[in-house]
């Protein structure tokens, strides 16, 4: 017999109860579904976050690939683009002490077993195409933090490999009692500048021999600094969206615009920090590689990069220079101008009445809170240079500021010590495929391998 469900007779009250029940059930379903969605999203997010952040591991460049920390600088390429074997050498502290990284640990290199071939290899890893000399200084003369984790590097003359590949061993003491310091390039000198003649804030030829003018479509757009015969440091915001090298020329050894007989050079490659965003203020750093090496002549000279861990104290007097506007929103200057400005601490610069916490570790402030002297539009990318024991070092690249020379709005510069590993890695990647030899002129040369 077919079963027929007979709908019982319902009163209005019953009907109301029934709908309330249904509504409640529906609500419960909705709440449960929302909870499930939230839990799944959270789990996925955390999982993805952990994956992307490579917690406790080494991340390969800006990719999602992570490798064991101990696989970094171990002599074997683990990352797709070999990023784990880059940046394995650095110069540290005020004396340019050589340090080598292996498996994520930085070690100071002892002087025993060191030789010039190793020195030239270290410079190549630092992105240079030159090597000047190595010095040995007492372990006790260097900063305390560099005195632990020591290593001796021993290699036969015929081997030219990356330093981290050497059969190294860690030490608690250097038997010689000395550590290795390295000079890859003569930099930071101004041999053609006579300090007697300082004319206001117009610069003299040779006063800032590392200063360059970057021309885009034949017009001055930004400043830059020579750091080697092939590389110019500038700001990412100068080149963002304009990375076609053929549109740029680099003018060196000049104090006046337009250029009369100055060396003008073509650009081979423009690299800006991958994390730079035009709406952001961080990572404002870029490199330009020249097609041909510069000839240094006293009016054209490189400035030294600072070393890892070097601090530039508040109140240190440094120099800014450029062809930028001489007043906010004014015209660029015909003559290279310069000004002395004190370094400001991040704490000072982040005060509520100054930049209210906008200053990140990627930035360094310099200038006067009372206003009056500052960098301005067109100076961007140019140097904030500080003299340190008779050598000039590039401490900042002109980046941003609110207006120019306004009270409580000093200039903000990209902090070069923070950008060092990025700069070195770009230079190392692009360095020559070459061997190193000692030639008859008593200099080290790098000869290209076919
Ligand atoms: C600019 O627009 C710029 N006062 C450079 C430096 C400063 C401000 C603006 C710092 O290139």
């Amino acid at each position: 017999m077919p079963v027929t469900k007979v709908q019982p007779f319902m009163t209005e009250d019953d009907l109301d109860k029934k709908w309330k029940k249904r509504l409640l059930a529906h609500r419960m379903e909705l709440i449960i579904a929302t909870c499930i969605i939230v839990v799944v999203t959270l789990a996925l997010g955390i999982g993805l976050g952990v994956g992307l952040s490579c917690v406790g591991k080494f991340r390969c460049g800006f990719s999602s690939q992570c490798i064991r920390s101990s696989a970094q600088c171990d002599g074997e390429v683990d990352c797709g683009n070999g990023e784990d074997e880059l940046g394995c050498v650095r110069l540290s502290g005020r004396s340019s002490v050589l340090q080598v990284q292996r498996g994520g640990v930085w070690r100071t290199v002892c002087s025993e077993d060191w030789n010039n071939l190793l020195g030239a290899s270290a410079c190549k890893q630092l992105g240079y195409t030159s090597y000047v000399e190595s010095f040995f200084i007492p372990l006790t003369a260097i900063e305390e933090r560099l005195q632990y984790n020591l290593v001796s590097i021993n290699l036969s003359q015929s081997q030219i490999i990356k330093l981290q590949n050497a059969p190294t061993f860690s030490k608690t003491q250097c038997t010689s009692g000395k550590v290795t310091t390295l000079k890859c390039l003569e930099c930071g000198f101004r041999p053609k500048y006579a300090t007697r003649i300082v004319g206001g804030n117009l610069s003299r030829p040779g006063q800032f021999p590392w200063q360059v003018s970057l021309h885009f479509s034949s017009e001055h757009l930004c400043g830059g600094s020579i750091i080697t015969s092939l590389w110019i440091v500038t700001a990412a915001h100068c080149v963002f969206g304009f990375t076609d090298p053929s549109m740029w020329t680099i003018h060196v050894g000049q104090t006046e615009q337009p250029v009369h007989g100055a060396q003008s050079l073509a650009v081979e490659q423009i690299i800006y920090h991958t994390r730079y965003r035009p709406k952001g203020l961080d990572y404002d750093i870029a490199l330009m590689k020249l097609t041909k090496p510069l000839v240094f002549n006293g009016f054209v000279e490189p400035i030294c990069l600072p070393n890892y861990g070097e601090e530039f104290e508040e109140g240190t007097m440094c120099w800014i220079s450029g062809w930028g506007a001489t007043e906010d929103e004014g015209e660029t200057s015909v003559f290279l101008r310069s000004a002395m400005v004190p370094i400001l601490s991040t704490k000072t610069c982040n005060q509520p009445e100054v930049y209210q916490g906008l200053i990140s570790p990627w930035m360094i402030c310099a200038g006067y809170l009372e206003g009056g002297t500052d960098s301005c539009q067109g100076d961007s990318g140019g140097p904030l240079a500080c003299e340190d024991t008779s050598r000039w070092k590039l401490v900042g690249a002109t980046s941003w500021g609110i207006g120019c020379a306004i009270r409580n709005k000093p200039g903000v510069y990209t902090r070069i010590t923070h950008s060092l590993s990025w700069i070195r890695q770009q230079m190392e990647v692009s360095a020559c495929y070459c061997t190193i030899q000692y030639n008859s002129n008593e200099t080290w040369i790098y000869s290209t391998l076919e």
Side-chain angles (χ1 to χ4, degrees):
M1 237 175 85
V3 180
T4 320
K5 280 192 175 172
V6 180
Q7 194 73 36
F9 175 74
M10 283 189 195
T11 62
E12 265 199 13
D13 233 25
D14 285 342
L15 211 67
D16 208 34
K17 265 188 201 156
K18 185 189 157 193
W19 278 110
K20 272 191 182 154
K21 243 187 184 172
R22 272 201 187 171
L23 212 67
L24 201 72
H26 196 64
R27 265 198 200 151
M28 283 307 284
E29 271 168 16
L30 259 175
I31 290 170
I32 290 168
T34 315
C35 283
I36 290 171
I37 290 171
V38 167
V39 168
V40 168
T41 316
L42 270 177
L44 269 177
I46 292 168
L48 212 68
V50 169
L52 285 178
S53 68
C54 292
V55 175
K57 290 185 166 185
F58 174 80
R59 178 202 293 279
C60 297
F62 296 105
S63 73
S64 56
Q65 192 187 353
C66 305
I67 60 161
R68 280 176 297 118
S69 284
S70 58
Q72 195 191 353
C73 297
D74 66 349
E76 275 176 36
V77 171
D78 299 278
C79 293
N81 296 320
E83 297 98 327
D84 56 313
E85 297 301 316
L86 291 174
C88 303
V89 169
R90 72 184 183 194
L91 299 180
S92 284
R94 60 185 128 75
S95 315
S96 303
V97 171
L98 179 65
Q99 292 195 296
V100 176
Q101 195 213 134
R102 208 180 146 97
V105 181
W106 284 98
R107 298 182 193 283
T108 298
V109 178
C110 295
S111 69
E112 51 263 24
D113 302 324
W114 189 253
N115 60 48
N116 280 325
L117 201 67
L118 284 169
S121 301
C123 286
K124 191 179 149 190
Q125 274 187 262
L126 287 164
Y128 291 102
T129 46
S130 57
Y131 162 65
V132 181
E133 57 188 332
S134 304
F135 300 102
F136 304 123
I137 59 168
L139 181 66
T140 48
I142 64 174
E143 289 93 330
E144 207 191 327
R145 67 190 152 82
L146 307 175
Q147 293 181 10
Y148 311 105
N149 288 336
L150 304 165
V151 73
S152 295
I153 292 177
N154 189 343
L155 268 184
S156 72
Q157 288 282 333
S158 60
Q159 289 170 288
I160 298 162
I161 56 166
K162 292 197 169 195
L163 294 197
Q164 70 270 24
N165 298 10
T168 55
F169 47 96
S170 61
K171 291 184 143 200
T172 48
Q173 273 188 322
C174 294
T175 23
S176 59
K178 291 189 171 165
V179 296
T180 308
T181 73
L182 198 63
K183 193 197 275 185
C184 299
L185 178 73
E186 287 292 1
C187 57
F189 294 111
R190 4 189 235 189
K192 293 280 166 69
Y193 176 61
T195 41
R196 286 175 291 115
I197 19 175
V198 185
N201 57 2
L202 289 184
S203 307
R204 309 290 308 179
Q207 191 177 2
F208 300 103
W210 39 82
Q211 170 85 53
V212 304
S213 164
L214 305 182
H215 283 218
F216 182 80
S217 293
S218 308
E219 256 187 66
H220 169 88
L221 199 68
C222 271
S225 306
I226 302 168
I227 53 161
T228 75
S229 60
L230 278 175
W231 291 99
I232 308 293
V233 166
T234 186
H237 81 259
C238 291
V239 299
F240 188 85
F242 305 106
T243 48
D244 175 1
S246 69
M247 297 298 285
W248 293 88
T249 48
I250 291 180
H251 299 269
V252 300
Q254 62 169 105
T255 51
E256 209 177 319
Q257 303 262 7
V259 194
H260 301 296
Q263 278 191 68
S264 136
L265 294 113
V267 179
E268 182 182 299
Q269 191 187 4
I270 297 172
I271 319 166
Y272 62 85
H273 200 291
T274 1
R275 290 203 172 162
Y276 172 75
R277 297 287 174 271
K279 282 188 182 156
L281 298 169
D282 278 335
Y283 315 107
D284 196 8
I285 187 89
L287 283 167
M288 284 189 171
K289 189 180 187 186
L290 304 173
T291 51
K292 278 194 313 206
L294 284 166
V295 179
F296 298 143
N297 60 11
F299 297 106
V300 178
E301 292 287 336
I303 188 166
C304 305
L305 285 173
N307 295 323
Y308 180 80
E310 271 194 292
E311 301 273 356
F312 297 90
E313 303 273 304
E314 180 154 57
T316 307
M317 296 309 286
C318 299
W319 286 79
I320 49 176
S321 46
W323 288 272
T326 47
E327 57 183 32
D328 198 8
E329 297 184 9
E331 295 277 298
T332 54
S333 167
V334 171
F335 299 99
L336 177 64
R337 303 182 81 90
S338 54
M340 194 163 71
V341 287
I343 298 287
L344 299 172
S345 71
T346 299
K347 192 175 167 209
T348 302
C349 209
N350 262 336
Q351 289 179 110
E353 66 276 25
V354 189
Y355 284 123
Q356 306 178 340
L358 276 177
I359 307 303
S360 79
W362 280 90
M363 306 167 196
I364 184 164
C365 294
Y368 300 90
L369 293 185
E370 63 268 32
T373 305
D374 196 7
S375 48
C376 206
Q377 294 96 26
D379 290 324
S380 278
L384 167 67
C386 309
E387 194 176 12
D388 182 25
T389 53
S390 78
R391 273 167 180 272
W392 287 82
K393 288 184 174 171
L394 186 65
V395 172
T398 306
S399 179
W400 65 277
I402 293 184
C404 304
I406 297 174
R407 183 181 162 79
N408 281 334
K409 298 289 173 265
V412 188
Y413 302 80
T414 307
R415 193 183 277 268
I416 301 299
T417 49
H418 216 77
S419 319
L420 271 180
S421 64
W422 180 81
I423 295 175
R424 294 270 183 231
Q425 286 200 19
Q426 307 315 309
M427 288 176 23
E428 186 181 355
V429 167
S430 163
C432 63
Y433 179 54
C434 55
T435 58
I436 304 156
Q437 290 159 12
Y438 195 59
N439 79 1
S440 51
N441 301 329
E442 300 191 353
T443 54
W444 290 89
I445 56 161
Y446 291 72
S447 35
T448 309
L449 291 170
E450 293 308 323

